[in-house]
Amino acid sequence: MKMFGQDIGIDLGTASVLVYIKGKGIVAKEPSVVAVDKNTNKLYAVGEEAQRMLGRTPGNIVAIRPLRDGVISDYNTTERMIKYFLQKVAKRSFFKPRVIICVPSGVTEVEERAVIDAGIQAGASKVHLIEEPLAAAIGVGIDISQPYGSMIVDMGGGTSDVAVISLGGIVTSQSIKVAGDKFNEAIVRYVRKKYNILIGERTAEELKIKIGCVYKREENLTMDVRGRSLVSGLPKTVTISSYEILDALTETSTTIIEAIKAVLEKTPPELVADISARGIILTGGGALVYGMDKLVESETGIRTIVADEAESCVALGTGKALDNISILQSYNPTKRFTD
């Protein structure tokens, strides 16, 4: 296989891109942000460096997140971003790499084609697609070929994918455009409404990670945040507590819970029995918000576990799927392969 170039797996997320190389594991993990010079259309920075520029760029440089809600919103920039990562991680070879890219389970054929085309234009010889919950299940270590039901809830930046998997395929699923980014937006809205202060996306992310929760913490943590007063236009600092963030995130977390319940309602009884016995597995960065497992467990009555290395599960599963491209082919005979 080596003589035909490398096999590369890409978890092309709304919030971050993870790249897996067969035989090496995850070799890159950077934010899905690209900085472009508007005047020359020149690529200025990608990943970590570009993220540091969000909200801080001069007029001629614009920092873009080319994926929104799990799908490509800026095709050209996405293509350039994939190309950047392929060039960064792939060893120089006469042969182009084969690439597997993750897509949300609710993706349309048009959106799938856009991902495939972006991968080919970026320099891949062939592009295979795999649905995120399937990749997450493989990454967690579930033997997806077995005839028992497993429930995966993959909460990324742009989408939350809820799926029941059995016999190598997705039995029932739902993909909603509510995930980590919507948590951040809810925090920004809450602070603006309650304190008349405008905070940035990065500050909201920091609040979510450090003191945020979707299930009541035993201890009410606090954090000082600095923003711009909407009254005076001047900088202002306020102290925000965990319980306030809980209040801010309730509506968004409820939407995710409703999606989980909707999928359970559509699941055949035998598979529901399997899920009750085996538990619900949470993956993705959104699963790391404090209390997400407790909230899902209290609302469904089913034991809920946050996967180890939750953020990396999809990329790890994509990497493992590189060994079984033919198997994925047979389970997903349409729309999954390009010559």
Side-chain angles (χ1 to χ4, degrees):
M1 193 64 72
K2 289 280 186 222
M3 63 178 286
F4 296 114
Q6 285 173 300
D7 285 344
I8 296 174
I10 301 176
D11 175 11
L12 193 63
T14 305
S16 55
V17 176
L18 284 83
V19 184
Y20 183 105
I21 290 186
K22 196 169 175 179
K24 291 185 182 174
I26 293 171
V27 293
K29 180 184 177 185
E30 294 197 45
S32 311
V33 184
V34 178
V36 179
D37 188 322
K38 276 196 297 190
N39 299 340
T40 62
N41 202 28
K42 182 172 168 275
L43 208 63
Y44 199 80
V46 178
E48 292 283 2
E49 199 185 336
Q51 189 181 41
R52 286 197 290 271
M53 297 179 181
L54 275 176
R56 292 187 166 140
T57 56
N60 64 313
I61 295 167
V62 56
I64 305 163
R65 293 181 66 178
L67 291 113
R68 282 278 162 202
D69 302 329
V71 294
I72 293 173
S73 62
D74 185 327
Y75 176 82
N76 288 333
T77 310
T78 302
E79 181 196 311
R80 291 167 82 175
M81 184 171 74
I82 296 172
K83 193 170 193 171
Y84 165 85
F85 282 110
L86 288 181
Q87 287 173 345
K88 183 177 178 179
V89 304
K91 63 174 183 276
R92 296 208 173 275
S93 167
F94 179 73
F95 298 101
K96 292 179 174 183
R98 284 195 313 174
V99 176
I100 289 191
I101 300 178
C102 284
V103 290
S105 58
V107 75
T108 65
E109 284 192 46
V110 173
E111 289 162 348
E112 283 190 344
R113 176 50 59 187
V115 175
I116 289 168
D117 288 347
I120 295 290
Q121 293 300 320
S125 63
K126 287 180 179 174
V127 176
H128 305 256
L129 302 184
I130 180 172
E131 288 164 322
E132 280 167 5
L134 211 53
I138 296 168
V140 167
I142 294 170
D143 183 350
I144 63 166
S145 64
Q146 294 300 308
Y148 47 65
S150 302
M151 184 177 230
I152 294 280
V153 182
D154 180 51
M155 288 176 270
T159 58
S160 291
D161 284 275
V162 186
V164 174
I165 293 159
S166 179
L167 283 169
I170 293 174
V171 179
T172 179
S173 69
Q174 190 170 337
S175 181
I176 56 169
K177 297 184 191 310
V178 177
D181 287 352
K182 287 289 187 283
F183 282 147
N184 295 349
E185 288 168 22
I187 292 168
V188 171
R189 274 200 311 274
Y190 182 89
V191 174
R192 186 173 59 207
K193 189 176 176 184
K194 184 167 181 180
Y195 293 103
N196 258 334
I197 287 178
L198 191 63
I199 61 169
E201 192 182 317
R202 289 183 64 191
T203 305
E205 174 94 3
E206 206 178 333
L207 276 167
K208 178 181 75 178
I209 292 167
K210 289 188 175 171
I211 67 163
C213 57
V214 292
Y215 193 86
K216 200 166 185 180
R217 283 180 181 264
E218 290 170 19
E219 185 186 355
N220 189 16
L221 306 175
T222 59
M223 181 175 150
D224 289 340
V225 292
R226 200 170 176 79
R228 189 178 79 229
S229 168
L230 293 170
V231 179
S232 68
L234 300 172
K236 188 177 177 184
T237 303
V238 289
T239 303
I240 293 177
S241 73
S242 290
Y243 294 166
E244 286 178 292
I245 302 295
L246 173 63
D247 195 18
L249 300 183
T250 297
E251 189 181 335
T252 312
S253 58
T254 301
T255 307
I256 295 171
I257 296 297
E258 283 168 0
I260 294 169
K261 287 180 176 175
V263 170
L264 282 169
E265 281 169 17
K266 290 185 289 182
T267 303
E270 285 80 5
L271 297 182
V272 171
D274 291 342
I275 294 161
S276 295
R278 297 161 60 79
I280 296 169
I281 298 170
L282 308 183
T283 65
L288 301 176
V289 176
Y290 180 90
M292 186 57 78
D293 52 343
K294 295 185 179 76
L295 179 67
V296 174
E297 193 164 312
S298 69
E299 290 288 332
T300 61
I302 299 170
R303 185 171 61 95
T304 304
I305 311 121
V306 177
D308 295 336
E309 297 182 89
E311 286 181 285
S312 307
C313 284
V314 171
L316 290 168
T318 308
K320 289 179 185 173
L322 289 167
D323 296 323
N324 295 297
I325 285 174
S326 57
I327 294 173
L328 285 169
Q329 282 289 113
S330 63
Y331 289 132
N332 301 288
T334 57
K335 310 182 295 179
R336 291 286 177 273
F337 187 65
T338 58
D339 288 315

